[in-house]
Amino acid sequence: MNAIPDRPSARAAPQAAHEARLAYRAGRVAPTAGVAPGLTQANMIALPRDWAYDFLLYAQRNPKPCPVLDVSDAGAYRTVLAPQADLRTDLPLYRVWRDGRLDAEVPDATALWDEHPDLVTFLIGCSFTFEGPLQEAGIEMRHIARGCNVPMYRTGIACRPAGRLKGEMVVSMRPIPAHRVADAVTISARYPSVHGAPVHIGNPAELGIADLARPDFGDAVPIEAGEIPVFWACGVTPQAAVMASGVPFAITHAPGHMFITDVPDSRYHV
Amino acid sequence: MNAIPDRPSARAAPQAAHEARLAYRAGRVAPTAGVAPGLTQANMIALPRDWAYDFLLYAQRNPKPCPVLDVSDAGAYRTVLAPQADLRTDLPLYRVWRDGRLDAEVPDATALWDEHPDLVTFLIGCSFTFEGPLQEAGIEMRHIARGCNVPMYRTGIACRPAGRLKGEMVVSMRPIPAHRVADAVTISARYPSVHGAPVHIGNPAELGIADLARPDFGDAVPIEAGEIPVFWACGVTPQAAVMASGVPFAITHAPGHMFITDVPDSRYHV
């Protein structure tokens, strides 16, 4: 194989995912935006088996914020999306939820899997998947340019309930130049299983967002003159459901600290 | 409103769905291909609550043959896809399965819902949804032209198991002129939640299909010179899983006798 150092081949990419996961397993804590480009990143939520049906139904009823990419068997910590990975250790940062409240953030969830041996783990599509194609089309991703986390907001949009689960939709926001908004829509729409097209364009007040400078998760980014705030459904939505529904126990990724899979982004292109 | 008799408006269409459902409720039995054009038709399977998680997981793991459009609450026979409909009576023909074997075909399933009061009903996307766009592109649907049911075949392609469920993929087949196969792929690919792009093109033996003239479900159609058999994943796949897994009790639609929703086909276009 010819080495092309500044443009890793598709064949080389899975190695980047594997190495990143090993670094997180060894204790590294950092947001995953821009890591292992070209490989799909996923949101994670693990719930006791008793809650798995309610959650899978919640996801089916709310496919824009909760597109399910894989579900582990109860008690397993493996996924077909990255057969070598260990879901207990290979994310950079986990959140632990008890009775609907954030209890702790930990870099290793092994002890929690021991505490709840029947956990079912859901991996959910992430809008990072279409950021590569957006950038290739010449659309700047402000949070990547600034080296920070994407800004995320809780909204007033109620998800459709399922069993004991309810909650509001969480969205991510990217400022897009007005003349590129249509391109951002059509490009992201080609990836329906990783949130797809935006859910809202241009009017944060209508979503119940009072101040774009104060995101509920992630980091604020500046909106320049001539740019429109564009909102995509976000895989942090399950964490809002955990809070709103008082779920007794859950483990999730920390926002922006995703699970990096071996699957090329192109798999989710339709 | 101006009446345009030979081209019903989008606004008039839901009435056609409602009237068709009332006819089936009153006892009419007939395949639904071509009925209420422009409105989404769905495959149906109802299972006792105890089997609902396994099935929802089976569908998540096999989204090409089992794209879930809606799931009812246990015991309910209503769906958001057609709020006036009664899922117990409004399909033209039902199949009743006991211990994995076909037990009966009935035009009214009310007594069966009484027998199993905790049934969870799954409505699954149907390739009929993209037949309209294919026809509008000038691609003949042979089974519609001949007024018969689409041919469906069991294959040797194993679905990914989930819990107690396993089985092979069922496919539908449409003969397509060789120079239009690429168009058929790109058009159907725009509808990923109703089976999307074909799973196979051109070599039935590779799917384990010995004779295209003898479909396992539906009716055989002739393949003309210069045409290629194109295979799409099919929503009869859950019935194959019922058989292969020895599911104690299930109700499904009879192949080709679908549930007609109020939802325009365009909803599933990405």
Side-chain angles (χ1 to χ4, degrees):
Chain A
M1 281 204 309
N2 293 320
I4 308 176
D6 59 341
R7 193 176 171 82
S9 75
R11 192 177 295 182
Q15 184 61 23
H18 180 61
E19 285 167 10
R21 291 192 303 261
L22 289 182
Y24 303 140
R25 191 183 301 182
R28 177 173 161 76
V29 175
T32 54
V35 177
L39 295 174
T40 296
Q41 300 195 12
N43 302 274
M44 191 203 89
I45 178 168
L47 294 161
R49 171 69 180 83
D50 171 54
W51 284 78
Y53 180 69
D54 283 2
F55 185 78
L56 192 52
L57 190 60
Y58 192 74
Q60 190 282 325
R61 289 180 173 174
N62 301 284
K64 287 285 275 189
C66 306
V68 178
L69 302 185
D70 193 34
V71 184
S72 72
D73 290 319
Y77 38 83
R78 301 291 179 187
T79 170
V80 294
L81 304 179
Q84 292 180 289
D86 184 327
L87 292 168
R88 302 170 301 177
T89 56
D90 289 6
L91 283 75
L93 194 61
Y94 299 85
R95 289 186 152 185
V96 189
W97 303 82
R98 297 186 194 273
D99 297 322
R101 285 187 297 274
L102 180 60
D103 182 58
E105 288 195 335
V106 298
D108 185 316
T110 306
L112 298 159
W113 247 271
D114 293 342
E115 180 186 327
H116 288 270
D118 70 345
L119 290 176
V120 176
T121 305
F122 300 85
L123 295 170
I124 292 170
C126 171
S127 54
F128 289 177
T129 301
F130 54 66
E131 290 188 335
L134 289 171
Q135 289 176 298
E136 283 165 22
I139 300 173
E140 180 188 294
M141 298 288 97
R142 185 66 34 80
H143 62 285
I144 295 179
R146 294 175 65 90
C148 68
N149 201 344
V150 69
M152 293 163 270
Y153 305 86
R154 301 177 71 169
T155 72
I157 303 173
C159 289
R160 189 175 159 206
R164 293 158 287 180
L165 289 173
K166 62 181 179 182
E168 278 73 42
M169 190 187 297
V170 175
V171 295
S172 62
M173 189 280 291
R174 292 161 185 81
I176 308 285
H179 71 286
R180 302 305 308 273
V181 170
D183 295 328
V185 170
T186 56
I187 292 168
S188 58
R190 292 173 202 150
Y191 295 87
S193 58
V194 289
H195 303 308
V199 292
H200 195 90
I201 295 166
N203 187 358
E206 202 174 295
L207 295 175
I209 300 170
D211 185 355
L212 287 178
R214 298 181 58 188
D216 295 294
F217 312 95
D219 302 309
V221 297
I223 301 178
E224 308 293 348
E227 291 182 338
I228 307 291
V230 177
F231 299 90
W232 279 268
C234 177
V236 173
T237 300
Q239 301 187 28
V242 166
M243 287 187 267
S245 313
V247 174
F249 183 79
I251 307 170
T252 69
H253 70 289
H257 298 68
M258 319 303 291
F259 177 65
I260 301 178
T261 76
D262 292 344
V263 177
D265 289 339
S266 60
R267 159 111 50 105
Y268 299 109
H269 187 294
V270 297
Chain B
M1 279 203 313
N2 294 321
I4 308 174
D6 59 341
R7 194 174 171 82
S9 75
R11 192 176 295 182
Q15 185 62 22
H18 181 60
E19 286 167 10
R21 291 193 302 262
L22 289 182
Y24 304 139
R25 192 183 299 181
R28 177 173 163 76
V29 176
T32 54
V35 177
L39 295 174
T40 297
Q41 301 194 11
N43 302 274
M44 191 202 90
I45 179 167
L47 294 160
R49 170 68 180 85
D50 171 52
W51 284 77
Y53 180 70
D54 282 3
F55 185 77
L56 193 52
L57 189 61
Y58 192 73
Q60 192 282 323
R61 289 180 174 175
N62 300 284
K64 287 286 276 188
C66 306
V68 177
L69 303 183
D70 193 33
V71 184
S72 73
D73 289 319
Y77 39 83
R78 302 291 179 187
T79 171
V80 293
L81 304 179
Q84 291 179 290
D86 185 327
L87 293 167
R88 303 170 302 177
T89 57
D90 288 6
L91 281 75
L93 192 63
Y94 299 84
R95 288 186 152 185
V96 190
W97 303 83
R98 296 184 195 274
D99 297 322
R101 286 187 297 273
L102 179 61
D103 182 59
E105 288 196 335
V106 298
D108 184 315
T110 306
L112 298 158
W113 247 270
D114 293 342
E115 180 186 325
H116 288 270
D118 70 345
L119 290 176
V120 175
T121 306
F122 300 85
L123 296 170
I124 292 169
C126 172
S127 54
F128 289 178
T129 301
F130 54 68
E131 290 188 334
L134 290 171
Q135 289 176 298
E136 283 165 22
I139 300 173
E140 180 188 292
M141 297 289 97
R142 184 67 35 78
H143 62 285
I144 295 179
R146 294 175 65 91
C148 68
N149 202 344
V150 69
M152 293 164 270
Y153 305 86
R154 301 176 72 168
T155 72
I157 303 173
C159 288
R160 190 176 159 205
R164 294 159 288 180
L165 289 173
K166 62 181 179 181
E168 278 74 41
M169 189 188 298
V170 175
V171 295
S172 63
M173 189 281 291
R174 292 161 184 80
I176 307 286
H179 71 286
R180 302 305 307 275
V181 169
D183 295 327
V185 171
T186 55
I187 292 168
S188 58
R190 291 174 203 150
Y191 295 87
S193 58
V194 290
H195 303 308
V199 291
H200 195 91
I201 295 167
N203 186 358
E206 203 174 293
L207 295 175
I209 300 171
D211 185 356
L212 288 177
R214 299 180 59 188
D216 295 294
F217 312 95
D219 302 309
V221 297
I223 301 179
E224 308 294 348
E227 290 181 339
I228 307 291
V230 178
F231 299 89
W232 279 268
C234 177
V236 173
T237 299
Q239 301 186 28
V242 165
M243 289 186 267
S245 313
V247 174
F249 182 80
I251 307 170
T252 69
H253 71 290
H257 299 69
M258 319 303 290
F259 177 64
I260 301 179
T261 77
D262 292 345
V263 177
D265 289 339
S266 59
R267 161 112 48 108
Y268 298 110
H269 186 295
V270 296

